[in-house]
Amino acid sequence: MDDALRSLDWSLLQAFLAVAEEGSLSGAARRLKTSQPTVGRQVRAMEDALGGTVFARHARGLRLTELGEAILPAAQSMQIAANDIRTTVAASEANLSGTVRITSSINVSHYLLPPILARARALFPGVQLDLVASDDTENLLYGEADIAIRMYRPEQLELVTRYLGDIEIGVFAATSYLDRVGRPQSFEDVLALDLVGFDTEMRFIDGMRARGIPIDRAGFATRCDNALIQWELVRAGCGVSFQQRHVGKQATDVEEIELPMPIAGLPIWLTAPPAMLRTPRIRAIWELLVEELPAYLEAPASRGTPTERGAFSALLDGAGTQG
């Protein structure tokens, strides 16, 4: 075992970390952009090298064994150290060339970022852009992205964060649907209509329940975890859902439902590891996002800080990265 440990392949540790954090081989495979059998073989190879089992099966996937729990902190430290090497090398570059990897929610990636990234390409032609449009949360400390656009303030102290403002949120439904069922006058009336919502994604539902609004998966008459498809379902007349107001106002086939209570917006936070912002190309894209994104947002001062925006804002924040 000692010889095997001395030659332990870094890719095996990466597979171990991905499974530990995703909770399944399939989730780890998606994160590592490989196949589930490959991840399974890597985990077994690591267990052979260690002479013990690092995962045990349970009803919802895989959980760490006592051995897995013991080695997890060291493996995480190795991942962060490997990423530090990458950022140190990147920070030594003096010119604006290379790749910048940005992660954001599907909605923000679709509706807000394309014109901003087109401007970035015009300004910095030597910079290549990777846009990870996902409602999953990439780990910046592990180098999965250079810059993240979040709908909540990240809690890791090792990250640089900047609050840019709020995306205004409204409640929308197709005119054809409202002509058929009537126009609601309260939030309770909205909940009584056909809701378009999530299938397997539970963060939004959990956020509503935590604030005393009784809803579950069965409360959505039409379900889909993709936010863009949800919006097309609303436009087709399937029911009612939340949407960015500047998006909803552009659609001529839907109406915004006016409610007696204001709906606070979703906060936008830029996030990056400090070392990344010392890299010229990443700093340039960061500054461009700081400059361009507020054109789509309410100014931070217009609603106060994110903690002052009221219960319904907290409800929407409970949706995690849904944007």
Side-chain angles (χ1 to χ4, degrees), residues 213-230:
I213 299 175
I215 193 170
D216 55 20
R217 181 180 180 276
F220 296 124
T222 309
R223 296 179 283 264
C224 180
D225 287 335
N226 186 295
L228 301 184
I229 296 175
Q230 276 190 21

PDB file of all heavy atoms in Angstrom, residues 213-230:
ATOM      1  N   ILE A 213     -45.126  29.621   3.563  1.00  0.00           N
ATOM      2  CA  ILE A 213     -45.987  29.523   2.391  1.00  0.00           C
ATOM      3  C   ILE A 213     -46.106  28.050   2.018  1.00  0.00           C
ATOM      4  O   ILE A 213     -45.136  27.431   1.583  1.00  0.00           O
ATOM      5  CB  ILE A 213     -45.424  30.336   1.211  1.00  0.00           C
ATOM      6  CG1 ILE A 213     -45.339  31.807   1.601  1.00  0.00           C
ATOM      7  CG2 ILE A 213     -46.301  30.161  -0.023  1.00  0.00           C
ATOM      8  CD1 ILE A 213     -44.689  32.678   0.557  1.00  0.00           C
ATOM      9  N   PRO A 214     -47.279  27.460   2.223  1.00  0.00           N
ATOM     10  CA  PRO A 214     -47.422  26.009   2.038  1.00  0.00           C
ATOM     11  C   PRO A 214     -47.482  25.638   0.567  1.00  0.00           C
ATOM     12  O   PRO A 214     -48.476  25.858  -0.118  1.00  0.00           O
ATOM     13  CB  PRO A 214     -48.757  25.701   2.742  1.00  0.00           C
ATOM     14  CG  PRO A 214     -49.538  26.979   2.613  1.00  0.00           C
ATOM     15  CD  PRO A 214     -48.536  28.094   2.651  1.00  0.00           C
ATOM     16  N   ILE A 215     -46.416  25.062   0.063  1.00  0.00           N
ATOM     17  CA  ILE A 215     -46.387  24.609  -1.325  1.00  0.00           C
ATOM     18  C   ILE A 215     -45.423  23.435  -1.425  1.00  0.00           C
ATOM     19  O   ILE A 215     -44.461  23.342  -0.655  1.00  0.00           O
ATOM     20  CB  ILE A 215     -45.970  25.748  -2.283  1.00  0.00           C
ATOM     21  CG1 ILE A 215     -46.269  25.341  -3.733  1.00  0.00           C
ATOM     22  CG2 ILE A 215     -44.499  26.117  -2.113  1.00  0.00           C
ATOM     23  CD1 ILE A 215     -46.129  26.467  -4.729  1.00  0.00           C
ATOM     24  N   ASP A 216     -45.729  22.525  -2.310  1.00  0.00           N
ATOM     25  CA  ASP A 216     -44.819  21.422  -2.578  1.00  0.00           C
ATOM     26  C   ASP A 216     -44.800  21.180  -4.082  1.00  0.00           C
ATOM     27  O   ASP A 216     -45.385  21.952  -4.859  1.00  0.00           O
ATOM     28  CB  ASP A 216     -45.229  20.163  -1.813  1.00  0.00           C
ATOM     29  CG  ASP A 216     -46.665  19.755  -2.089  1.00  0.00           C
ATOM     30  OD1 ASP A 216     -47.226  20.185  -3.128  1.00  0.00           O
ATOM     31  OD2 ASP A 216     -47.232  19.003  -1.281  1.00  0.00           O
ATOM     32  N   ARG A 217     -44.118  20.145  -4.505  1.00  0.00           N
ATOM     33  CA  ARG A 217     -44.013  19.866  -5.932  1.00  0.00           C
ATOM     34  C   ARG A 217     -45.378  19.739  -6.572  1.00  0.00           C
ATOM     35  O   ARG A 217     -45.601  20.189  -7.702  1.00  0.00           O
ATOM     36  CB  ARG A 217     -43.195  18.582  -6.130  1.00  0.00           C
ATOM     37  CG  ARG A 217     -42.991  18.178  -7.584  1.00  0.00           C
ATOM     38  CD  ARG A 217     -42.177  16.893  -7.670  1.00  0.00           C
ATOM     39  NE  ARG A 217     -41.972  16.472  -9.057  1.00  0.00           N
ATOM     40  CZ  ARG A 217     -42.850  15.756  -9.753  1.00  0.00           C
ATOM     41  NH1 ARG A 217     -43.994  15.388  -9.170  1.00  0.00           N
ATOM     42  NH2 ARG A 217     -42.594  15.409 -11.001  1.00  0.00           N
ATOM     43  N   ALA A 218     -46.320  19.131  -5.844  1.00  0.00           N
ATOM     44  CA  ALA A 218     -47.668  18.956  -6.391  1.00  0.00           C
ATOM     45  C   ALA A 218     -48.382  20.287  -6.586  1.00  0.00           C
ATOM     46  O   ALA A 218     -49.369  20.362  -7.331  1.00  0.00           O
ATOM     47  CB  ALA A 218     -48.491  18.057  -5.464  1.00  0.00           C
ATOM     48  N   GLY A 219     -47.895  21.334  -5.937  1.00  0.00           N
ATOM     49  CA  GLY A 219     -48.504  22.650  -6.096  1.00  0.00           C
ATOM     50  C   GLY A 219     -48.228  23.287  -7.445  1.00  0.00           C
ATOM     51  O   GLY A 219     -48.859  24.283  -7.807  1.00  0.00           O
ATOM     52  N   PHE A 220     -47.263  22.760  -8.192  1.00  0.00           N
ATOM     53  CA  PHE A 220     -46.989  23.253  -9.540  1.00  0.00           C
ATOM     54  C   PHE A 220     -47.775  22.415 -10.544  1.00  0.00           C
ATOM     55  O   PHE A 220     -47.596  21.199 -10.633  1.00  0.00           O
ATOM     56  CB  PHE A 220     -45.491  23.171  -9.859  1.00  0.00           C
ATOM     57  CG  PHE A 220     -44.644  24.052  -8.987  1.00  0.00           C
ATOM     58  CD1 PHE A 220     -43.595  23.517  -8.255  1.00  0.00           C
ATOM     59  CD2 PHE A 220     -44.883  25.414  -8.893  1.00  0.00           C
ATOM     60  CE1 PHE A 220     -42.803  24.313  -7.456  1.00  0.00           C
ATOM     61  CE2 PHE A 220     -44.102  26.228  -8.098  1.00  0.00           C
ATOM     62  CZ  PHE A 220     -43.053  25.682  -7.369  1.00  0.00           C
ATOM     63  N   ALA A 221     -48.614  23.059 -11.324  1.00  0.00           N
ATOM     64  CA  ALA A 221     -49.417  22.334 -12.313  1.00  0.00           C
ATOM     65  C   ALA A 221     -48.582  21.885 -13.490  1.00  0.00           C
ATOM     66  O   ALA A 221     -48.865  20.862 -14.128  1.00  0.00           O
ATOM     67  CB  ALA A 221     -50.567  23.222 -12.793  1.00  0.00           C
ATOM     68  N   THR A 222     -47.543  22.668 -13.801  1.00  0.00           N
ATOM     69  CA  THR A 222     -46.612  22.325 -14.876  1.00  0.00           C
ATOM     70  C   THR A 222     -45.206  22.477 -14.330  1.00  0.00           C
ATOM     71  O   THR A 222     -44.881  23.504 -13.726  1.00  0.00           O
ATOM     72  CB  THR A 222     -46.800  23.234 -16.106  1.00  0.00           C
ATOM     73  OG1 THR A 222     -48.175  23.262 -16.468  1.00  0.00           O
ATOM     74  CG2 THR A 222     -45.973  22.742 -17.278  1.00  0.00           C
ATOM     75  N   ARG A 223     -44.339  21.464 -14.556  1.00  0.00           N
ATOM     76  CA  ARG A 223     -43.034  21.435 -13.888  1.00  0.00           C
ATOM     77  C   ARG A 223     -41.893  21.273 -14.886  1.00  0.00           C
ATOM     78  O   ARG A 223     -41.981  20.461 -15.813  1.00  0.00           O
ATOM     79  CB  ARG A 223     -42.990  20.298 -12.869  1.00  0.00           C
ATOM     80  CG  ARG A 223     -43.987  20.453 -11.726  1.00  0.00           C
ATOM     81  CD  ARG A 223     -43.913  19.291 -10.746  1.00  0.00           C
ATOM     82  NE  ARG A 223     -44.561  18.105 -11.268  1.00  0.00           N
ATOM     83  CZ  ARG A 223     -45.810  17.748 -10.998  1.00  0.00           C
ATOM     84  NH1 ARG A 223     -46.556  18.501 -10.200  1.00  0.00           N
ATOM     85  NH2 ARG A 223     -46.318  16.633 -11.499  1.00  0.00           N
ATOM     86  N   CYS A 224     -40.833  22.027 -14.651  1.00  0.00           N
ATOM     87  CA  CYS A 224     -39.607  21.893 -15.431  1.00  0.00           C
ATOM     88  C   CYS A 224     -38.495  22.594 -14.673  1.00  0.00           C
ATOM     89  O   CYS A 224     -38.695  23.698 -14.146  1.00  0.00           O
ATOM     90  CB  CYS A 224     -39.766  22.507 -16.825  1.00  0.00           C
ATOM     91  SG  CYS A 224     -38.265  22.369 -17.839  1.00  0.00           S
ATOM     92  N   ASP A 225     -37.318  21.989 -14.597  1.00  0.00           N
ATOM     93  CA  ASP A 225     -36.209  22.592 -13.864  1.00  0.00           C
ATOM     94  C   ASP A 225     -35.424  23.609 -14.689  1.00  0.00           C
ATOM     95  O   ASP A 225     -34.575  24.310 -14.155  1.00  0.00           O
ATOM     96  CB  ASP A 225     -35.243  21.506 -13.366  1.00  0.00           C
ATOM     97  CG  ASP A 225     -35.815  20.710 -12.204  1.00  0.00           C
ATOM     98  OD1 ASP A 225     -36.678  21.264 -11.491  1.00  0.00           O
ATOM     99  OD2 ASP A 225     -35.415  19.553 -12.016  1.00  0.00           O
ATOM    100  N   ASN A 226     -35.677  23.689 -15.990  1.00  0.00           N
ATOM    101  CA  ASN A 226     -34.995  24.664 -16.838  1.00  0.00           C
ATOM    102  C   ASN A 226     -35.778  25.965 -16.846  1.00  0.00           C
ATOM    103  O   ASN A 226     -36.939  26.015 -17.263  1.00  0.00           O
ATOM    104  CB  ASN A 226     -34.850  24.112 -18.261  1.00  0.00           C
ATOM    105  CG  ASN A 226     -34.020  25.024 -19.147  1.00  0.00           C
ATOM    106  OD1 ASN A 226     -34.413  26.150 -19.438  1.00  0.00           O
ATOM    107  ND2 ASN A 226     -32.877  24.530 -19.573  1.00  0.00           N
ATOM    108  N   ALA A 227     -35.140  27.056 -16.395  1.00  0.00           N
ATOM    109  CA  ALA A 227     -35.842  28.334 -16.244  1.00  0.00           C
ATOM    110  C   ALA A 227     -36.306  28.895 -17.590  1.00  0.00           C
ATOM    111  O   ALA A 227     -37.350  29.559 -17.663  1.00  0.00           O
ATOM    112  CB  ALA A 227     -34.926  29.336 -15.544  1.00  0.00           C
ATOM    113  N   LEU A 228     -35.548  28.674 -18.653  1.00  0.00           N
ATOM    114  CA  LEU A 228     -35.946  29.200 -19.963  1.00  0.00           C
ATOM    115  C   LEU A 228     -37.191  28.491 -20.481  1.00  0.00           C
ATOM    116  O   LEU A 228     -38.101  29.125 -21.039  1.00  0.00           O
ATOM    117  CB  LEU A 228     -34.798  29.043 -20.959  1.00  0.00           C
ATOM    118  CG  LEU A 228     -33.482  29.724 -20.600  1.00  0.00           C
ATOM    119  CD1 LEU A 228     -32.480  29.564 -21.727  1.00  0.00           C
ATOM    120  CD2 LEU A 228     -33.707  31.200 -20.280  1.00  0.00           C
ATOM    121  N   ILE A 229     -37.247  27.190 -20.297  1.00  0.00           N
ATOM    122  CA  ILE A 229     -38.426  26.446 -20.731  1.00  0.00           C
ATOM    123  C   ILE A 229     -39.626  26.816 -19.866  1.00  0.00           C
ATOM    124  O   ILE A 229     -40.758  26.910 -20.353  1.00  0.00           O
ATOM    125  CB  ILE A 229     -38.144  24.936 -20.697  1.00  0.00           C
ATOM    126  CG1 ILE A 229     -37.046  24.597 -21.721  1.00  0.00           C
ATOM    127  CG2 ILE A 229     -39.410  24.126 -20.985  1.00  0.00           C
ATOM    128  CD1 ILE A 229     -36.595  23.160 -21.694  1.00  0.00           C
ATOM    129  N   GLN A 230     -39.404  27.028 -18.575  1.00  0.00           N
ATOM    130  CA  GLN A 230     -40.492  27.495 -17.712  1.00  0.00           C
ATOM    131  C   GLN A 230     -41.151  28.736 -18.293  1.00  0.00           C
ATOM    132  O   GLN A 230     -42.377  28.851 -18.338  1.00  0.00           O
ATOM    133  CB  GLN A 230     -39.961  27.814 -16.310  1.00  0.00           C
ATOM    134  CG  GLN A 230     -39.839  26.648 -15.373  1.00  0.00           C
ATOM    135  CD  GLN A 230     -39.537  27.105 -13.961  1.00  0.00           C
ATOM    136  OE1 GLN A 230     -39.788  28.250 -13.596  1.00  0.00           O
ATOM    137  NE2 GLN A 230     -38.984  26.215 -13.164  1.00  0.00           N
TER     138      GLN A 230
END
